Amino acid sequence: MKKATLTILCLLMILSTAFCLTGCKSREQRLSEETAYEDAQMNAMNKKIVKCINEKDKEGLKKLFSKSAKRDIEDIDIKAEELIHVFKGNKIQSTNSDAHVTSGSPESQPLNITANCIFKLDNGKQYVGWISFCTMDDKNKENVGLMVIEICNCSSKELPENHMWNGINSGKPGIFIHYID
């Protein structure tokens, strides 16, 4: 009787250990897949924004914003025009997302991505900014799309120590531009 109990306990321990190890592996795989998805979404959004700015496509830029954000942004036409002109006719050659924060997941929606971006211009300058967008919300499709573009006309190294990012920190949708002399 004692041998049978010990054998069953050993088998249960082996099975539970195997189950835990495979569970960790699948969790790591899932996180890797989610990170790859987020990176792909961020790169796609960056490309769309850059294309609109480089082509001075104000209407295209406005279309990137979610329906709910467009309703909440005052003077979106003026703000989109101002964003295009902040680059003073210089083309954005590339963008780099240094860090991003994600809230939600494909299973726990909405899935929002916020990233710090570096815009490298053809004149050698760099502008720093933030982009925030919702990539997935099955319960409210009007939330899907761009929420915030916030940009400063200088590099991250040139930002004043006390610089505040108004749009990202407020949680309000919009186009926010900071001019640093």
Side-chain angles (χ1 to χ4, degrees), residues 114-170:
T114 301
N116 176 249
C117 298
I118 306 295
F119 298 90
K120 296 176 183 175
L121 308 182
D122 59 1
N123 67 355
K125 287 194 80 168
Q126 292 185 3
Y127 288 179
V128 64
W130 287 90
I131 295 170
S132 182
F133 62 99
C134 178
T135 185
M136 197 181 292
D137 190 346
D138 290 341
K139 292 180 184 170
N140 190 353
K141 299 280 187 195
E142 289 192 354
N143 287 335
V144 176
L146 194 56
M147 302 299 277
V148 174
I149 298 178
E150 187 161 10
I151 194 157
C152 191
N153 69 335
C154 67
S155 71
S156 55
K157 294 176 183 173
E158 298 170 309
L159 278 176
E161 264 185 57
N162 59 352
H163 180 74
M164 292 294 297
W165 294 100
N166 299 334
I168 292 299
N169 291 333
S170 72

Side-chain angles (χ1 to χ4, degrees), residues 40-54:
Q41 292 297 310
M42 179 51 64
N43 290 335
M45 183 58 77
N46 278 343
K47 285 180 183 178
K48 290 175 188 176
I49 291 168
V50 167
K51 182 180 180 198
C52 290
I53 290 171
N54 284 345

Side-chain angles (χ1 to χ4, degrees), residues 7-19:
T7 304
I8 291 173
L9 284 174
C10 285
L11 282 172
L12 286 174
M13 285 177 47
I14 291 169
L15 287 174
S16 65
T17 302
F19 180 75

Side-chain angles (χ1 to χ4, degrees), residues 69-87:
K70 282 189 256 191
R71 281 193 303 265
D72 293 339
I73 300 171
E74 290 183 34
D75 302 325
I76 190 168
D77 289 311
I78 295 167
K79 299 272 187 181
E81 189 80 31
E82 187 179 356
L83 177 65
I84 290 168
H85 289 293
V86 99
F87 295 94

